[in-house]
Amino acid sequence: MPHLKQPIGILGGTFDPVHFGHLRMALELYQALDLAEVRLVPCYQPVHRKMPVATPEQRLKMVTEAIAKESAFTVDPCEIERQGPSYTIDTLKTLHALLPNTPFCLIMGIDALLSFSSWHQWENILDLAHLVVAHRPQYQLPQTGIVADLLKERLRHNAIDLHNSLAGNILLHPVTPLEISSTDIRKQIASGRNPRFLLPDSVYNYIKEHGTYSISRI
Ligand code: ATP
């Protein structure tokens, strides 16, 4: 097997807007798992939910502002440039073509893991990436079903397993629970409340300047 590079974390999302729940989770996993970087990948068109409120360009700009001073993070516009439905499998194929021999760790909240078997070509995703699941205590792992079987087969307990193989393992890792959601931030802004300290100031300043989540748009 060719020598593998240091794994890269991939955090996809709508980021409508990006907030400290996303950023803190990404930083903790970057450090704990010794990742080369975490790439934040704002989607163009989410597959399982309604269209975001902010435009793709606005969400990309907010992520860019949010990570400007953190060298552990990069932002990848590939899904926005590709347009159409944002399938993770397509993003992983693009990344593998650009960065061969690099393990990719798909970072997700446990809520996302629970619906993983409904993702487009989920079996092929596991051929191209590991899953790193940020454990949030209020969610229980399933005991039966496809995700339960996947965990039985592929769950690993050591970050080294993400470095020694290209794809296919699942790692659960606790992160500091921050009950912040983009939906709640949008509601706060639309009702005239101040969401400061839930998201970076640079992102809040952008939102204020562009009126991104005014009442009429929520
Ligand atoms: P919304 O409220 O609009 O559903 P969101 O805050 O959940 O948005 P997304 O962009 O959909 O944000 O989330 C991207 C990823 O980040 C998902 O894998 C999700 O599980 C995870 N995530 C979202 N919020 C948090 C949080 N507070 N702590 C840890 N992970 C989070």
Side-chain angles (χ1 to χ4, degrees):
M1 189 170 25
H3 179 71
L4 294 180
K5 306 228 170 78
Q6 198 179 0
I8 291 180
I10 306 295
L11 176 58
T14 47
F15 303 123
D16 188 24
V18 63
H19 55 66
F20 285 139
H22 304 126
L23 297 167
R24 185 67 210 167
M25 164 173 73
L27 186 63
E28 290 185 11
L29 293 173
Y30 164 79
Q31 295 178 116
L33 308 180
D34 192 25
L35 302 176
E37 65 180 82
V38 175
R39 273 180 192 225
L40 283 84
V41 187
C43 70
Y44 178 75
Q45 182 184 324
V47 181
H48 287 119
R49 49 189 291 174
K50 63 182 178 52
M51 281 303 278
V53 176
T55 65
E57 292 71 25
Q58 288 173 328
R59 292 181 290 108
L60 177 62
K61 183 74 180 138
M62 289 189 280
V63 174
T64 306
E65 291 285 345
I67 68 165
K69 294 199 173 84
E70 179 46 70
S71 61
F73 296 159
T74 55
V75 57
D76 191 330
C78 68
E79 293 189 352
I80 290 176
E81 286 169 2
R82 192 166 69 230
Q83 304 199 347
S86 298
Y87 293 119
T88 302
I89 187 76
D90 296 336
T91 302
L92 290 171
K93 284 180 186 163
T94 304
L95 287 168
H96 270 291
L98 285 171
L99 299 162
N101 303 324
T102 306
F104 290 105
C105 300
L106 206 54
I107 295 172
M108 59 182 73
I110 200 161
D111 49 317
L113 175 74
L114 296 179
S115 63
F116 182 67
S117 58
S118 68
W119 290 27
H120 184 59
Q121 296 185 14
W122 63 269
E123 284 150 306
N124 299 338
I125 289 178
L126 282 161
D127 292 334
L128 296 181
H130 301 298
L131 305 188
V132 170
V133 183
H135 206 347
R136 298 164 81 179
Q138 73 274 34
Y139 289 95
Q140 298 294 316
L141 291 173
Q143 300 302 315
T144 55
I146 294 176
V147 173
D149 292 345
L150 274 178
L151 287 168
K152 271 185 213 125
E153 206 184 303
R154 294 167 182 266
L155 188 62
R156 301 288 178 273
H157 298 282
N158 199 324
I160 202 72
D161 292 312
L162 308 177
H163 289 246
N164 290 344
S165 57
L166 204 52
N169 295 326
I170 304 178
L171 191 96
L172 296 182
H173 200 283
V175 294
T176 305
L178 293 174
E179 278 315 305
I180 303 173
S181 83
S182 303
T183 305
D184 179 57
I185 290 173
R186 292 196 304 272
K187 282 188 184 148
Q188 292 204 30
I189 294 169
S191 63
R193 281 175 292 151
N194 186 340
R196 254 192 112 192
F197 311 124
L198 295 174
L199 72 177
D201 278 348
S202 56
V203 176
Y204 185 40
N205 290 339
Y206 179 92
I207 291 168
K208 280 192 290 191
E209 204 177 304
H210 294 82
T212 318
Y213 302 114
S214 61
I215 293 166
S216 59
R217 303 206 55 213
I218 206 83

Short mmCIF file of all heavy atoms in Angstrom, two decimals, residues 11-17 19-22 25 49 107-112 134 136 175-184 186, ligand 1:
data_model
loop_
_atom_site.label_atom_id
_atom_site.label_comp_id
_atom_site.label_asym_id
_atom_site.label_seq_id
_atom_site.Cartn_x
_atom_site.Cartn_y
_atom_site.Cartn_z
N LEU A 11 -15.73 18.87 6.99
CA LEU A 11 -16.98 19.20 7.68
C LEU A 11 -17.91 19.91 6.69
O LEU A 11 -17.70 21.06 6.34
CB LEU A 11 -16.72 20.10 8.90
CG LEU A 11 -17.97 20.59 9.64
CD1 LEU A 11 -18.83 19.42 10.14
CD2 LEU A 11 -17.59 21.50 10.82
N GLY A 12 -18.89 19.16 6.21
CA GLY A 12 -19.87 19.73 5.30
C GLY A 12 -21.04 20.29 6.10
O GLY A 12 -21.29 19.88 7.24
N GLY A 13 -21.74 21.24 5.51
CA GLY A 13 -22.92 21.77 6.19
C GLY A 13 -23.55 22.88 5.37
O GLY A 13 -23.00 23.30 4.35
N THR A 14 -24.69 23.32 5.84
CA THR A 14 -25.29 24.48 5.17
C THR A 14 -24.62 25.76 5.66
O THR A 14 -24.51 26.72 4.92
CB THR A 14 -26.82 24.55 5.42
OG1 THR A 14 -27.05 24.35 6.81
CG2 THR A 14 -27.55 23.49 4.65
N PHE A 15 -24.20 25.75 6.93
CA PHE A 15 -23.54 26.93 7.52
C PHE A 15 -24.36 28.20 7.26
O PHE A 15 -23.87 29.18 6.71
CB PHE A 15 -22.10 27.06 6.98
CG PHE A 15 -21.26 25.85 7.23
CD1 PHE A 15 -20.64 25.17 6.19
CD2 PHE A 15 -21.10 25.36 8.51
CE1 PHE A 15 -19.87 24.03 6.42
CE2 PHE A 15 -20.32 24.22 8.76
CZ PHE A 15 -19.72 23.56 7.70
N ASP A 16 -25.58 28.16 7.73
CA ASP A 16 -26.57 29.21 7.43
C ASP A 16 -27.07 29.90 8.70
O ASP A 16 -28.26 29.85 8.97
CB ASP A 16 -27.73 28.54 6.66
CG ASP A 16 -28.72 29.53 6.10
OD1 ASP A 16 -28.34 30.69 5.88
OD2 ASP A 16 -29.89 29.14 5.87
N PRO A 17 -26.19 30.51 9.52
CA PRO A 17 -24.77 30.78 9.34
C PRO A 17 -23.91 29.79 10.13
O PRO A 17 -24.40 29.06 10.98
CB PRO A 17 -24.63 32.18 9.98
CG PRO A 17 -25.57 32.11 11.15
CD PRO A 17 -26.74 31.28 10.68
N HIS A 19 -21.38 28.74 13.02
CA HIS A 19 -21.41 29.20 14.42
C HIS A 19 -20.36 28.47 15.25
O HIS A 19 -19.64 27.58 14.74
CB HIS A 19 -22.82 29.07 15.00
CG HIS A 19 -23.41 27.68 14.90
ND1 HIS A 19 -22.89 26.59 15.58
CD2 HIS A 19 -24.48 27.21 14.19
CE1 HIS A 19 -23.62 25.52 15.31
NE2 HIS A 19 -24.59 25.86 14.45
N PHE A 20 -20.29 28.80 16.54
CA PHE A 20 -19.24 28.21 17.39
C PHE A 20 -19.46 26.71 17.63
O PHE A 20 -18.50 26.02 17.97
CB PHE A 20 -19.14 28.96 18.72
CG PHE A 20 -18.46 30.31 18.59
CD1 PHE A 20 -18.93 31.41 19.28
CD2 PHE A 20 -17.32 30.46 17.80
CE1 PHE A 20 -18.30 32.65 19.17
CE2 PHE A 20 -16.68 31.69 17.69
CZ PHE A 20 -17.17 32.79 18.37
N GLY A 21 -20.68 26.21 17.50
CA GLY A 21 -20.89 24.76 17.61
C GLY A 21 -20.08 24.04 16.54
O GLY A 21 -19.40 23.04 16.81
N HIS A 22 -20.16 24.52 15.28
CA HIS A 22 -19.37 23.93 14.19
C HIS A 22 -17.87 24.09 14.44
O HIS A 22 -17.10 23.15 14.29
CB HIS A 22 -19.67 24.64 12.86
CG HIS A 22 -21.09 24.67 12.43
ND1 HIS A 22 -21.77 25.83 12.12
CD2 HIS A 22 -21.99 23.66 12.25
CE1 HIS A 22 -23.00 25.55 11.74
NE2 HIS A 22 -23.17 24.24 11.83
N MET A 25 -16.31 22.19 17.51
CA MET A 25 -16.24 20.74 17.21
C MET A 25 -15.08 20.46 16.26
O MET A 25 -14.28 19.54 16.49
CB MET A 25 -17.56 20.30 16.56
CG MET A 25 -17.45 18.96 15.87
SD MET A 25 -19.02 18.34 15.28
CE MET A 25 -19.35 19.39 13.88
N ARG A 49 -32.99 18.66 2.97
CA ARG A 49 -33.69 19.74 3.69
C ARG A 49 -33.96 20.89 2.73
O ARG A 49 -33.44 20.91 1.62
CB ARG A 49 -32.86 20.20 4.87
CG ARG A 49 -31.41 20.47 4.49
CD ARG A 49 -30.55 20.70 5.67
NE ARG A 49 -30.88 21.97 6.29
CZ ARG A 49 -30.34 22.38 7.43
NH1 ARG A 49 -29.45 21.62 8.07
NH2 ARG A 49 -30.65 23.54 7.94
N ILE A 107 -16.55 14.50 9.06
CA ILE A 107 -16.98 14.86 10.41
C ILE A 107 -18.48 15.13 10.40
O ILE A 107 -18.99 15.82 9.52
CB ILE A 107 -16.22 16.13 10.88
CG1 ILE A 107 -14.72 15.83 10.99
CG2 ILE A 107 -16.79 16.66 12.19
CD1 ILE A 107 -13.87 17.07 11.27
N MET A 108 -19.16 14.58 11.37
CA MET A 108 -20.61 14.84 11.45
C MET A 108 -21.07 14.75 12.89
O MET A 108 -20.43 14.11 13.73
CB MET A 108 -21.38 13.82 10.60
CG MET A 108 -21.18 12.39 10.99
SD MET A 108 -22.08 11.27 9.88
CE MET A 108 -21.11 11.37 8.41
N GLY A 109 -22.17 15.42 13.16
CA GLY A 109 -22.81 15.27 14.46
C GLY A 109 -23.50 13.91 14.49
O GLY A 109 -23.76 13.30 13.44
N ILE A 110 -23.82 13.44 15.68
CA ILE A 110 -24.43 12.11 15.78
C ILE A 110 -25.82 12.10 15.12
O ILE A 110 -26.25 11.09 14.57
CB ILE A 110 -24.46 11.63 17.24
CG1 ILE A 110 -24.61 10.12 17.28
CG2 ILE A 110 -25.51 12.32 18.05
CD1 ILE A 110 -24.20 9.52 18.59
N ASP A 111 -26.47 13.25 15.10
CA ASP A 111 -27.77 13.35 14.41
C ASP A 111 -27.60 12.98 12.93
O ASP A 111 -28.45 12.32 12.34
CB ASP A 111 -28.38 14.75 14.56
CG ASP A 111 -27.39 15.86 14.24
OD1 ASP A 111 -26.22 15.78 14.67
OD2 ASP A 111 -27.78 16.83 13.57
N ALA A 112 -26.50 13.40 12.35
CA ALA A 112 -26.26 13.09 10.93
C ALA A 112 -25.96 11.60 10.76
O ALA A 112 -26.42 10.97 9.80
CB ALA A 112 -25.10 13.94 10.40
N ALA A 134 -19.04 13.27 16.07
CA ALA A 134 -18.95 14.05 17.30
C ALA A 134 -20.12 13.65 18.20
O ALA A 134 -21.28 13.83 17.84
CB ALA A 134 -19.01 15.54 16.99
N ARG A 136 -22.81 13.65 20.89
CA ARG A 136 -23.57 14.63 21.66
C ARG A 136 -24.46 13.82 22.60
O ARG A 136 -25.22 12.96 22.16
CB ARG A 136 -24.38 15.54 20.73
CG ARG A 136 -23.45 16.33 19.81
CD ARG A 136 -24.18 16.92 18.63
NE ARG A 136 -24.86 18.16 18.94
CZ ARG A 136 -25.54 18.86 18.04
NH1 ARG A 136 -25.66 18.43 16.80
NH2 ARG A 136 -26.13 19.97 18.39
N VAL A 175 -17.16 15.71 22.04
CA VAL A 175 -16.75 17.12 21.91
C VAL A 175 -17.53 17.92 22.96
O VAL A 175 -18.57 17.46 23.45
CB VAL A 175 -17.03 17.70 20.51
CG1 VAL A 175 -16.17 17.04 19.45
CG2 VAL A 175 -18.51 17.61 20.14
N THR A 176 -17.02 19.09 23.29
CA THR A 176 -17.72 19.93 24.26
C THR A 176 -19.12 20.22 23.73
O THR A 176 -19.26 20.76 22.62
CB THR A 176 -16.97 21.27 24.44
OG1 THR A 176 -15.63 20.96 24.82
CG2 THR A 176 -17.63 22.13 25.49
N PRO A 177 -20.16 19.86 24.46
CA PRO A 177 -21.51 20.09 23.93
C PRO A 177 -21.84 21.59 23.93
O PRO A 177 -21.77 22.23 24.97
CB PRO A 177 -22.43 19.34 24.90
CG PRO A 177 -21.55 18.63 25.87
CD PRO A 177 -20.18 19.22 25.78
N LEU A 178 -22.14 22.12 22.77
CA LEU A 178 -22.56 23.52 22.65
C LEU A 178 -23.88 23.50 21.91
O LEU A 178 -23.91 23.24 20.70
CB LEU A 178 -21.53 24.32 21.85
CG LEU A 178 -20.16 24.53 22.49
CD1 LEU A 178 -19.21 25.22 21.52
CD2 LEU A 178 -20.30 25.36 23.75
N GLU A 179 -24.94 23.72 22.62
CA GLU A 179 -26.26 23.60 21.98
C GLU A 179 -26.59 24.86 21.19
O GLU A 179 -27.49 25.63 21.56
CB GLU A 179 -27.32 23.27 23.03
CG GLU A 179 -27.37 21.79 23.37
CD GLU A 179 -27.32 20.88 22.15
OE1 GLU A 179 -28.16 21.05 21.24
OE2 GLU A 179 -26.43 20.02 22.07
N ILE A 180 -25.85 25.05 20.12
CA ILE A 180 -26.06 26.21 19.25
C ILE A 180 -26.58 25.68 17.92
O ILE A 180 -26.08 24.66 17.44
CB ILE A 180 -24.72 26.95 19.03
CG1 ILE A 180 -24.11 27.36 20.36
CG2 ILE A 180 -24.91 28.16 18.12
CD1 ILE A 180 -22.70 27.94 20.24
N SER A 181 -27.57 26.32 17.35
CA SER A 181 -28.00 25.90 16.02
C SER A 181 -28.19 27.13 15.13
O SER A 181 -28.55 28.21 15.61
CB SER A 181 -29.28 25.07 16.07
OG SER A 181 -30.40 25.91 16.13
N SER A 182 -27.94 26.92 13.84
CA SER A 182 -28.12 28.01 12.88
C SER A 182 -29.57 28.48 12.87
O SER A 182 -29.85 29.68 12.76
CB SER A 182 -27.72 27.54 11.48
OG SER A 182 -26.40 27.08 11.48
N THR A 183 -30.49 27.53 12.98
CA THR A 183 -31.92 27.89 12.97
C THR A 183 -32.22 28.86 14.10
O THR A 183 -32.90 29.88 13.90
CB THR A 183 -32.78 26.61 13.16
OG1 THR A 183 -32.41 25.67 12.17
CG2 THR A 183 -34.27 26.92 13.06
N ASP A 184 -31.72 28.56 15.27
CA ASP A 184 -31.97 29.42 16.43
C ASP A 184 -31.34 30.80 16.23
O ASP A 184 -31.97 31.83 16.54
CB ASP A 184 -31.42 28.73 17.68
CG ASP A 184 -31.62 29.58 18.91
OD1 ASP A 184 -32.79 29.91 19.18
OD2 ASP A 184 -30.63 29.93 19.57
N ARG A 186 -30.79 32.33 13.39
CA ARG A 186 -31.59 33.07 12.40
C ARG A 186 -32.84 33.63 13.06
O ARG A 186 -33.23 34.77 12.80
CB ARG A 186 -31.98 32.16 11.22
CG ARG A 186 -30.83 31.73 10.35
CD ARG A 186 -31.32 31.17 9.02
NE ARG A 186 -32.26 30.06 9.16
CZ ARG A 186 -31.90 28.78 9.26
NH1 ARG A 186 -30.62 28.44 9.24
NH2 ARG A 186 -32.82 27.83 9.37
P1 ATP B 1 -29.73 24.19 11.22
O1 ATP B 1 -30.10 24.70 12.57
O2 ATP B 1 -30.06 25.17 10.10
O3 ATP B 1 -30.24 22.78 10.98
P2 ATP B 1 -27.04 23.47 12.07
O4 ATP B 1 -26.70 24.43 13.14
O5 ATP B 1 -27.42 22.06 12.50
O6 ATP B 1 -28.13 24.11 11.13
P3 ATP B 1 -25.50 22.56 9.74
O7 ATP B 1 -24.78 23.47 8.83
O8 ATP B 1 -26.69 21.87 9.22
O9 ATP B 1 -25.81 23.43 11.08
O10 ATP B 1 -24.53 21.49 10.40
C1 ATP B 1 -23.37 20.99 9.79
C2 ATP B 1 -22.79 19.86 10.66
O11 ATP B 1 -22.47 20.38 11.96
C3 ATP B 1 -23.74 18.67 10.89
O12 ATP B 1 -22.94 17.47 10.84
C4 ATP B 1 -24.27 18.89 12.31
O13 ATP B 1 -24.55 17.64 12.94
C5 ATP B 1 -23.09 19.59 12.97
N1 ATP B 1 -23.50 20.52 14.04
C6 ATP B 1 -24.40 21.52 13.95
N2 ATP B 1 -24.52 22.19 15.10
C7 ATP B 1 -23.65 21.61 15.96
C8 ATP B 1 -23.30 21.84 17.35
N3 ATP B 1 -23.87 22.81 18.05
N4 ATP B 1 -22.37 21.04 17.91
C9 ATP B 1 -21.79 20.04 17.19
N5 ATP B 1 -22.08 19.77 15.89
C10 ATP B 1 -22.99 20.53 15.27
#
